Each structure stands twice: as structure tokens, then as C-alpha cells.
Amino acid sequence: MELRQLSYFVAVAEELHFGRAAVKVNITQSGLSDAILALEKELGVQLLLRTTRRVELTRAGASFYERSVRMISELELSKEIVRSIAGKTTRKIAIGTVYPATIGVLPSFLSRIGRKYPDIRMHIESGTTDDIIRHIEAGRINLGFIRPVENIGSLRFFSIAHERYLLAVAKESPLSLKSEIDLEDLRSEKIISFSRQNLSYSERYFAEKFEEHDLTDNVAYTCDDTFSLVSLVSAGLGIGFVPEWTQDLPNRGFELKKVRGVDFKIGLGVAWNREDPTAGRDDIIDIARSLVRPGR
């Protein structure tokens, strides 16, 4: 069994299970299928269940996927350890980031890294907090800018910022002219709210607020990302609560307003694997720590 075969299989498994390939491979689709068939023949087990409608991982395939990820991760980790022992500088850093960090702290972080290590190559990967944590654990990402989670597992994490949720209203909305807004002012408004596959802390908070003030029936639209929500607000379809990093979006067609009775903040922080010698280097972590700022 070759490392190349493992990489091919992980790429296919990522595509099937998560909707996108996390490991890029240079091979045609037919060549990829042949490689997986050859791997199944070598192992003597079926890794993929193929029907005319879909392809999915078998139980054996899901188990082998987890083991393959660990093997590839261990190999990459071994390479970095050997380079570190030999006194060679890191050649590449992979950074995962949620969208708020992409717009906010990430440019400053990359600028400082670039000044200190002008020859380093950096790869930036956007995704959800869950995606980034999973990829840090697998060794594909060295450091991630994420939202706080209840269980970070074996990873290390520190907070760098907190920001409020404010009410986004279209610039043409009468609410944009108000200096003070109460939750009662929203009774005549259509509300746009988040609705994700896994209910987040922020969603629970606002669901309870809407129920408490009898506003649940005002929710006319739901979406699963902030950009969609502010786009709907800008189009005049309703109002919605969003994190204040959205005020830095270019050409925005909405205003952010504080609402009495709503006091909700969300954090942003840095996570890394304590066993990763690249991300664990003190100078890189110190640069990340220098980004710590108080909430607005």
C-alpha cells in the first residue's frame, strides 16, 4: 500500500462525507476510480458502496478513512519534527479561518508573519469552526481562527476578541432613523434569522428572545450564513441580528443598530495542536497573541 493510494482515498472520502475534497490530488476521475478499486482489492474489503444513484462509504471505508487521515497526519508531523531537529525553518504554514477573521484580524497576522519570515509560504483555507478544528486535529491546518466551542478536545485555544450582535436594518428602513430601538419596535417588521444544521449558542439566544417577546411568528426568512442574511437585509426584505464585524463590509446597504434588551457577544480566538511543532512555535503563537483586542 502506497501513501499515494491513501491520499486518493482520503480525497474521495472527504468529497463524499463533507462535500469537498480536503486533499488535492492530480489524477483523472477514471484514474481515481481505478486507484480505489485497486486499494479495495489489496485490502480485500469494499470501501465504497456504489449504486446507480450514489456512492457512499461503507462501515469499513469510514473506519479506514479515519486511520488513513491519522497516517497521513503522522507522516506530515514527522517531516516537520525532522526539519525542526535539523534546524531548518518552516517552509509552509496552513491557516484556517472563519469569515470574520478573514476580514478582521487575519490580514494583520499575515503581514506580521510575512515580515518576520519573508520566505515562508502561507495557505489560507476558509471554513466553519467545526471544519477548521477537524483539519487541525488531522494535521492539515497548523493554526485556526475560530469561534469558541464548548469542547476543544486536545487542542489549545486562546481568545483574541469579543464582538456584539447588533440589528442590521436597510438604509431606507424607518428603523435606520431611530436613535434608540426596543424589541417592541420589531413587531411590525419581518425578521431574518440564522438556521444552521447544528443549533449554535447565538441561535438559541435569539430564538429564546423572539419567543419571550412574542416575535417568533415575525421570522419570515432563515439562512445559514451571515453574508446571505445581510444581503437580504440590504434588499429590504427584513431585519436581522448580525455580529458587528459586518460593519467593515464594503458597499454595505444596511446600518447596524443597538437594541435595548439585547446584550449578546460572540468570541473569536486562535486554536492549534499542541503536538504540531510548526503551530507550536513560540514566535508564531506570540504574533497571534499580539492580535488580542478588547470588544468594541
Side-chain angles (χ1 to χ4, degrees):
M1 186 186 307
E2 300 178 358
L3 177 62
R4 181 174 53 185
Q5 289 179 298
L6 295 181
S7 297
Y8 291 162
F9 175 68
V10 168
V12 171
E14 289 281 353
E15 180 68 29
L16 293 174
H17 191 62
F18 300 107
R20 61 180 182 181
V23 177
K24 295 182 179 180
V25 292
N26 296 317
I27 188 173
T28 63
Q29 187 62 46
S30 60
L32 188 59
S33 298
D34 290 342
I36 301 301
L37 287 171
L39 183 58
E40 288 177 320
K41 183 177 180 180
E42 180 179 347
L43 293 173
V45 297
Q46 187 176 7
L47 301 174
L48 302 179
L49 181 62
R50 304 167 179 87
T51 67
T52 55
R53 293 186 176 182
R54 60 183 302 180
V55 178
E56 59 185 11
L57 291 172
T58 63
R59 288 183 61 185
S63 176
F64 187 67
Y65 160 72
E66 296 293 340
R67 291 178 178 273
S68 298
V69 168
R70 286 197 295 270
M71 283 188 280
I72 293 174
S73 175
E74 284 296 325
L75 178 60
E76 292 301 319
L77 182 59
S78 297
K79 290 180 180 178
E80 290 299 334
I81 290 174
V82 169
R83 292 190 189 110
S84 178
I85 293 174
K88 294 186 176 180
T89 58
T90 303
R91 294 178 298 176
K92 180 178 179 180
I93 294 177
I95 299 168
T97 174
V98 293
Y99 284 117
T102 304
I103 295 175
V105 299
L106 185 64
S108 177
F109 176 69
L110 297 180
S111 176
R112 297 179 195 189
I113 291 289
R115 286 197 297 270
K116 191 161 189 177
Y117 300 101
D119 297 327
I120 205 168
R121 291 185 295 121
M122 289 178 277
H123 171 69
I124 312 302
E125 179 176 316
S126 298
T128 65
T129 291
D130 288 342
D131 288 339
I132 294 169
I133 289 175
R134 180 167 50 83
H135 288 176
I136 293 175
E137 291 174 334
R140 299 190 201 108
I141 291 176
N142 303 113
L143 180 144
F145 291 91
I146 64 171
R147 294 300 193 188
V149 294
E150 292 180 0
N151 183 11
I152 198 69
S154 62
L155 303 185
R156 292 184 176 180
F157 174 86
F158 61 82
S159 178
I160 60 175
H162 288 85
E163 57 186 348
R164 298 170 296 170
Y165 264 69
L166 301 172
L167 183 68
V169 301
K171 289 185 176 181
E172 296 78 14
S173 169
L175 287 178
S176 68
L177 302 177
K178 280 181 168 287
S179 58
E180 295 183 344
I181 298 177
D182 289 305
L183 279 166
E184 295 299 316
D185 294 325
L186 309 188
R187 291 196 178 281
S188 60
E189 301 289 333
K190 289 184 177 181
I191 296 175
I192 308 166
S193 71
F194 292 115
S195 179
R196 301 183 177 95
Q197 185 175 1
N198 297 316
L199 193 64
S200 67
Y201 178 53
S202 59
E203 288 173 73
R204 288 195 296 268
Y205 174 86
F206 285 106
E208 291 171 0
K209 277 291 180 185
F210 295 154
E211 184 175 358
E212 177 186 348
H213 293 270
D214 197 25
L215 292 169
T216 302
D217 291 340
N218 288 61
V219 178
Y221 304 93
T222 59
C223 50
D224 64 0
D225 71 278
T226 304
F227 290 118
S228 295
L229 196 154
V230 296
S231 294
L232 294 178
V233 171
S234 297
L237 296 177
I239 51 91
F241 288 94
V242 297
E244 61 185 322
W245 64 264
T246 55
Q247 70 184 6
D248 297 324
L249 290 174
N251 304 316
R252 58 186 175 89
F254 61 90
E255 300 286 346
L256 294 182
K257 296 287 185 176
K258 187 174 181 179
V259 177
R260 279 196 299 266
V262 174
D263 183 18
F264 184 81
K265 293 182 179 180
I266 191 169
L268 178 69
V270 174
W272 74 100
N273 192 330
R274 67 186 68 188
E275 297 180 358
D276 183 341
T278 302
R281 293 178 57 169
D282 291 342
D283 47 1
I284 293 177
I285 298 303
D286 285 345
I287 289 174
R289 289 187 190 280
S290 71
L291 302 172
V292 173
R293 66 178 192 268
R296 300 178 189 178

